[in-house]
Amino acid sequence: MSTRRRAREIVLQLLYEADVNDPRSDESAKQFIRSRLQGRKALTEFAYKLLMGTLEHRDDVDAHLSKLASHWTLPRMAVTDRNVLRLGGYEILFGDTPGRVAVNEAIVLAKRYGDKNSPRFVNGVLDRLYKELEAKQSKD
């Protein structure tokens, strides 16, 4: 497993937790990430940036996802799927990760943590988001 993939798994755990409970403090989240990644500094910073960025831009990402998830509202989605979409959506819209990589990484997370329909659902929504952003950027 790639180390960045492991970092995304840890971020997904924290996003899931923040979705169903009060979020941890920033320092507690960073300590959790650091301990899970065995103190690897660059990877800890990558994961922390993903977590904080996703939480900071959650409303924007949710607005995009709500528009693109045909016949699904965010509250109706499985908590895991919703947070995989948020993480992937953040990476596509605001992150440094190439869009195709963000989509593929989200699919891998959905396969591992979602149900049998999760990968297809996540792929459909994030692929539309990626293509919409790509089309918008090509117009500019």
Side-chain angles (χ1 to χ4, degrees):
M1 174 186 307
S2 82
T3 51
R4 283 191 165 212
R5 182 168 295 157
R6 178 70 182 128
R8 285 182 181 91
E9 287 183 345
I10 293 162
V11 170
L12 177 62
Q13 292 171 7
L14 290 167
L15 290 173
Y16 185 104
E17 179 183 275
D19 200 1
V20 297
N21 297 313
D22 291 332
R24 293 174 183 241
S25 70
D26 291 355
E27 188 54 39
S28 174
K30 196 165 196 171
Q31 282 180 318
F32 180 79
I33 292 168
R34 189 179 308 119
S35 71
R36 294 288 197 193
L37 294 173
Q38 299 160 343
R40 289 184 249 167
K41 191 171 183 152
L43 216 46
T44 298
E45 287 304 316
F46 170 76
Y48 185 70
K49 183 179 173 187
L50 276 182
L51 174 65
M52 299 314 292
T54 304
L55 291 173
E56 180 182 328
H57 293 284
R58 187 164 78 178
D59 291 341
D60 289 335
V61 172
D62 283 359
H64 279 88
L65 296 175
S66 293
K67 190 172 66 171
L68 296 171
S70 306
H71 310 293
W72 284 92
T73 62
L74 284 166
R76 261 189 71 213
M77 292 177 194
V79 178
T80 301
D81 292 354
R82 180 171 57 239
N83 286 292
V84 167
L85 287 169
R86 283 175 173 155
L87 179 56
Y90 166 74
E91 286 196 87
I92 291 167
L93 295 168
F94 302 102
D96 300 329
T97 307
R100 278 279 149 231
V101 173
V103 173
N104 290 335
E105 289 296 318
I107 293 167
V108 170
L109 287 172
K111 282 180 184 175
R112 183 151 189 195
Y113 295 103
D115 70 14
K116 66 180 178 140
N117 298 315
S118 296
R120 197 173 80 213
F121 177 65
V122 166
N123 181 46
V125 175
L126 291 181
D127 189 57
R128 276 183 287 222
L129 178 61
Y130 172 67
K131 286 178 180 172
E132 180 182 272
L133 184 66
E134 203 173 52
K136 182 180 175 194
Q137 288 174 343
S138 69
K139 285 181 184 178
D140 293 342

